[in-house]
Amino acid sequence: MTNNPHALSVFEALESEVRSYCRGWPAVFDRAQGARLTDEDGRSYLDFFAGAGSLNYGHNNPVLKRALIDYIERDGITHGLDMATTAKRAFLETFENVILRPRDLPYKVMFPGPTGTNAVESALKLARKVKGRESVVSFTNAFHGMSLGSLAVTGNAFKRAGAGIPLVHGTPMPFDNYFDGQVPDFLWFERLLEDQGSGLNKPAAVIVETVQGEGGINVARAEWLRALQDLCHRQDMLLIVDDIQMGCGRTGGFFSFEEAGIVPDIVTLSKSISGYGLPMSLCLFKGELDIWEPGEHNGTFRGNNPAFVTAAAALDAYWADGQMEKQTLARGEQVEQTLLAIGEEHPKAGAQIRGRGLVWGMKFPDPTRASAVCARAFALGLLVETSGPEGEVVKVLPPLTVSSGELDEGLQTLARAVRETG
């Protein structure tokens, strides 16, 4: 905590009560590099939050920073709406050559606006336009954004209540293992689709996260995802994968759905697609779905050219040779083994460990324990947050570029926080 008693006063006096992360981390941060943040008093913190997944390559990554500075210094375009620019061309060419073509993915690229919820809104709108239907199916504990369309397919009751109006045309179904393996996959969903008396309007699409981040690090099995794709094909529904937090390498492959061997009809990306924490999002979809009329969906800040620059630099630096995926999987094994060891050391805590790649969670039966662990971790110099419908999960989300030593340091700090809150 900052030593300056007046440091936070302006935030408390002027900023809305809606602020949240700063309440758990009462410091005034001033600088950041790699996996570390430094507050104005000079105290260093390891960052296992990574901008909620928007800083996969760390803070002020030197490769991306150099590309950005060079672009700004030559007076490159900053704001371009959807005009053609050299920065956008370079990004599109790099994205096609480094990401889409090697994976044989047949996607068109849409720039819907700067944030993840913009991408989700465009995906929902396109699916409804293509199929001529209103209903979209989502899953229990899903999180897809805070605008109204995204909230309608989000599960969290607290976030949904903030809408202030009825949220319509979204229908929730059980996520993988929602019934602890006691019910066959999609039994309820398929029965409703086939029963003319079920009351379920024929959906235009199904939207899913392969790993539910805000929902509590709930990991869908590859076979469940394949069965979902098959169901969508048989029932003439589009499959939308929300890869906003789990894409860009968070689970290992660039797209989180690669492991399952599926090809969604529509994919949303944001957070780390810019590589530098700059606002940027994409909506990807199969070419035959591109039935938009010019200007039918737009946004003033959909052409963030500095983000195109850092995005292209990130793809060139980290995805051209396949090493990032291997490193992420190796670091993920390091996290998993340490978290399992922490759980074995504190069996009374009853923590469940789950995750993929470099996104992991420790679920505690007592939600207050998770909050206490995160608070103690902050006091010890580590940023971790809670997730899950009751904040019962401690979420571990370090930069993909974190060193093995930094990862071990942070995990040992986390172990100490669990020990000292027992």
Side-chain angles (χ1 to χ4, degrees):
M1 183 177 293
T2 180
N3 294 322
N4 182 352
H6 303 293
L8 297 173
S9 60
V10 68
F11 304 106
E12 294 165 352
L14 291 181
E15 193 175 0
S16 166
E17 293 298 317
V18 79
R19 65 193 189 279
S20 59
Y21 292 118
C22 57
R23 297 180 187 274
W25 302 326
V28 179
F29 297 104
D30 181 50
R31 292 175 290 112
Q33 211 288 315
R36 295 186 186 274
L37 284 159
T38 304
D39 69 20
E40 64 179 352
D41 297 322
R43 186 179 182 196
S44 176
Y45 301 80
L46 262 177
D47 183 4
F48 279 19
F49 172 65
S54 18
L55 295 166
N56 281 3
Y57 312 105
H59 295 270
N60 287 303
N61 183 291
V63 176
L64 313 189
K65 180 166 64 175
R66 184 71 265 158
L68 179 59
I69 289 172
D70 289 346
Y71 183 76
I72 292 172
E73 285 187 337
R74 73 169 185 80
D75 292 330
I77 299 291
T78 295
H79 180 272
L81 294 159
D82 67 357
M83 294 183 289
T85 66
T86 55
K88 183 196 282 189
R89 180 175 61 198
F91 167 73
L92 286 170
E93 291 174 346
T94 304
F95 191 66
E96 180 180 29
N97 293 333
V98 176
I99 301 301
L100 297 182
R101 189 174 295 158
R103 292 162 179 79
D104 197 25
L105 292 172
Y107 294 139
K108 297 287 289 292
V109 180
M110 175 182 178
F111 300 97
T115 73
T117 200
N118 294 135
V120 170
E121 295 284 357
S122 66
L124 299 176
K125 186 187 291 187
L126 179 60
R128 288 168 171 142
K129 179 178 173 66
V130 168
K131 292 299 182 183
R133 308 179 206 133
E134 297 174 346
S135 177
V136 173
V137 166
S138 57
F139 291 96
T140 50
N141 291 312
F143 178 79
H144 296 290
M146 297 298 283
S147 52
L148 293 180
S150 301
L151 275 179
V153 291
T154 287
N156 186 284
F158 174 75
K159 293 180 172 65
R160 289 174 63 88
I165 62 171
L167 296 171
V168 297
H169 308 309
T171 303
M173 290 292 164
F175 190 70
D176 190 15
N177 203 38
Y178 187 73
F179 294 111
D180 299 319
Q182 300 301 306
V183 178
D185 295 337
F186 308 115
L187 175 66
W188 174 242
F189 190 4
E190 195 149 19
R191 182 72 59 85
L192 290 177
L193 288 170
E194 294 175 352
D195 183 357
Q196 294 302 306
S198 71
L200 175 65
N201 294 331
K202 182 77 171 183
V206 175
I207 185 168
V208 67
E209 303 154 275
T210 65
V211 180
Q212 295 180 327
E214 294 300 311
I217 318 302
N218 305 310
V219 182
R221 294 166 296 142
E223 56 265 36
W224 187 85
L225 292 168
R226 288 192 289 268
L228 177 60
Q229 177 177 257
D230 180 63
L231 176 61
C232 288
H233 288 170
R234 286 187 285 107
Q235 295 288 346
D236 187 34
M237 303 178 296
L238 298 180
L239 176 60
I240 304 169
V241 168
D242 180 339
D243 234 4
I244 287 166
Q245 187 170 83
M246 299 304 156
C248 302
R250 177 53 58 181
T251 65
F254 185 83
F255 295 104
S256 70
F257 56 80
E258 291 180 47
E259 180 189 56
I262 64 173
V263 180
D265 299 293
I266 304 175
V267 180
T268 59
L269 289 174
S270 187
K271 291 194 182 285
S272 277
I273 186 60
S274 82
Y276 204 74
L278 298 173
M280 177 178 172
S281 74
L282 305 178
C283 186
L284 313 176
F285 39 82
K286 293 178 178 178
E288 63 268 24
L289 304 180
D290 192 11
I291 63 171
W292 292 114
E293 295 292 333
E296 190 173 11
H297 186 93
N298 57 31
T300 304
F301 294 101
R302 65 195 184 280
N304 187 349
N305 282 257
F308 297 155
V309 171
T310 54
L315 296 179
D316 275 331
Y318 294 103
W319 292 99
D321 61 5
Q323 292 305 305
M324 175 58 74
E325 180 174 354
K326 294 177 182 177
Q327 177 177 297
T328 296
L329 294 175
R331 298 279 193 270
E333 290 180 8
Q334 183 180 348
V335 175
E336 181 180 18
Q337 294 307 311
T338 303
L339 293 184
L340 287 171
I342 294 172
E344 291 173 1
E345 183 182 347
H346 305 279
K348 291 184 179 180
Q352 297 178 14
I353 310 304
R354 59 229 196 163
R356 273 181 63 196
L358 270 177
V359 52
W360 288 87
M362 297 184 69
K363 179 184 177 182
F364 293 92
D366 179 4
T368 63
R369 182 69 181 276
S371 298
V373 168
C374 289
R376 184 58 186 152
F378 173 75
L380 296 172
L382 174 70
L383 301 187
V384 284
E385 66 160 339
T386 61
S387 70
E390 298 179 19
E392 73 275 21
V393 178
V394 174
K395 184 178 182 181
V396 178
L397 200 75
L400 305 185
T401 51
V402 66
S403 71
S404 180
E406 289 171 326
L407 192 55
D408 183 64
E409 178 188 343
L411 291 171
Q412 293 310 311
T413 301
L414 180 60
R416 181 180 168 187
V418 172
R419 184 167 59 248
E420 294 181 358
T421 55

